[in-house]
Amino acid sequence: GILVAERSLNANTTFMSIQQSLITQLSKLDYYGLTEIIPEETEHLLLEPKLLKDKKIDGFIILGQMKKEYLDFLKASSLPKVLMTFEFADETDGGIVCDNIYFGYTLTQYLYDKGYRKIGFVGNPLFDATVMDRYLGYHKAVLLNNLKSNPDYIIEDVSRDGEEQGLFIPEDVPDAFICNDCRVAYKLIHQLEGMEFDVPEDIAVAAFDDGIYADFGIPKLTTFSVDYDEMARMAAESILSKIQDPSIRLGKKIILGKVIERESVTPKNQ
């Protein structure tokens, strides 16, 4: 079974791609991947997922961040389980996670090395652990490079509950932005173009995840790419190992990534 947090799915299209890759990887291991979307109401009321209630699965993968209270509720299940993309994993459950602090630091440092000194961050750190860690990595690079730390440079794209909201561009416009995902990056670019800024001539834009939107529009996006197919493969193999031996301790497995250069970032004109 694949239990997907609805709030994560709505806020970032990458989760749909990961879910599809999980089904593919499970199929290669001669298992079917059955997906259930977990709405916030289900989390809030601590309702058992239908896949568990109907006893249709041998184990399950939790994809996206759910509330800790609901996660603890799911952990009470005797079925083998593996957590993906967030940090509430322990050695017994096993978790496949990204080093998002490193991702945020690396992408910010990349822009710094290209000559940018006023760098904004688009994303709400209070939405989930992924955005928070990417923000912390961004902030680390800002501090270590003695860059201007301006609270107005942190632009929220969603509320704490994941509801999409408008992007507020400050009067002191940064000369580069890091966006939490590619879809939001294009939303930002269109808004900047409406303000008569050119990307990348006037302002650089980079994003995380290298999703389906990365080369969808103009300009094509420079991104930090994560090998989500590899992440799905590791998750599929991990849940199969736990189904075969429920006592196994998998620990935490960390996925890395790299910057993919495209058209939305060029060296800053001095």
Side-chain angles (χ1 to χ4, degrees):
I2 304 168
L3 305 181
V4 187
E6 184 180 54
R7 65 198 304 268
S8 296
L9 194 64
N10 290 341
N12 191 330
T13 56
T14 301
F15 285 95
M16 182 60 73
S17 299
I18 299 174
Q19 179 257 340
Q20 292 170 346
S21 186
L22 270 173
I23 291 174
T24 299
Q25 295 298 330
L26 288 167
S27 177
K28 291 179 180 179
L29 298 172
D30 296 324
Y31 271 77
Y32 292 108
L34 303 176
T35 300
E36 181 173 348
I37 308 300
I38 305 298
E40 285 195 64
E41 183 180 12
T42 298
E43 292 188 50
H44 178 70
L45 297 176
L46 299 182
L47 301 177
E48 189 175 20
K50 189 173 179 58
L51 286 177
L52 273 67
K53 185 185 301 183
D54 294 347
K55 304 185 186 307
K56 292 183 176 180
I57 54 178
D58 299 315
F60 59 94
I61 297 168
I62 301 173
L63 175 59
Q65 182 168 319
M66 299 178 187
K67 294 178 180 177
K68 192 170 188 308
E69 295 78 9
Y70 191 67
L71 191 61
D72 290 339
F73 173 72
L74 292 177
K75 282 184 177 182
S77 167
S78 60
L79 289 176
K81 60 194 75 69
V82 168
L83 285 64
M84 282 187 72
T85 76
F86 61 105
E87 293 285 357
F88 291 150
D90 60 32
E91 281 191 23
T92 303
D93 293 322
I96 318 296
V97 300
C98 299
D99 189 351
N100 282 298
I101 294 178
Y102 170 78
F103 295 177
Y105 174 83
T106 300
L107 196 53
T108 308
Q109 187 66 43
Y110 167 81
L111 290 173
Y112 179 86
D113 292 342
K114 292 291 186 181
Y116 296 94
R117 299 296 181 265
K118 294 166 57 179
I119 303 173
F121 182 91
V122 182
N124 187 344
L126 298 179
F127 171 63
D128 70 8
T130 295
V131 187
M132 174 61 78
D133 284 354
R134 290 172 175 179
Y135 166 74
L136 291 175
Y138 153 84
H139 194 60
K140 177 182 178 180
V142 167
L143 292 176
L144 290 179
N145 288 297
N146 295 313
L147 300 181
K148 183 177 181 180
S149 181
N150 185 339
D152 291 339
Y153 288 0
I154 312 305
I155 300 172
E156 296 181 358
D157 60 330
V158 296
S159 69
R160 294 182 67 161
D161 296 323
E163 184 177 346
E164 188 171 347
Q165 56 191 41
L167 304 179
F168 179 77
I169 310 297
E171 289 187 14
D172 179 17
V173 182
D175 54 20
F177 287 95
I178 290 174
C179 298
N180 185 54
D181 66 53
C182 297
R183 180 181 59 85
V184 172
Y186 277 121
K187 179 179 178 179
L188 173 68
I189 289 172
H190 293 154
Q191 192 164 329
L192 291 171
E193 290 173 344
M195 299 168 66
E196 299 188 352
F197 290 107
D198 182 89
V199 177
E201 292 300 321
D202 302 319
I203 297 174
V205 175
F208 294 102
D209 291 339
D210 200 41
I212 59 174
Y213 290 95
D215 54 5
F216 181 76
I218 299 174
K220 298 184 188 302
L221 288 174
T222 290
T223 64
F224 193 96
S225 176
V226 181
D227 190 346
Y228 286 118
D229 287 337
E230 173 64 9
M231 191 175 196
R233 183 191 66 78
M234 291 175 66
E237 292 180 352
S238 294
I239 192 61
L240 182 58
S241 295
K242 293 210 68 177
I243 289 171
Q244 294 171 342
D245 181 5
S247 67
I248 193 170
R249 300 173 71 87
L250 295 173
K252 184 190 299 182
K253 300 177 181 179
I254 299 175
I255 302 294
L256 299 178
K258 61 182 179 180
V259 175
I260 302 294
E261 294 187 289
R262 295 191 180 92
E263 301 167 352
S264 63
V265 177
T266 56
K268 182 174 173 57
N269 296 323
Q270 302 298 325

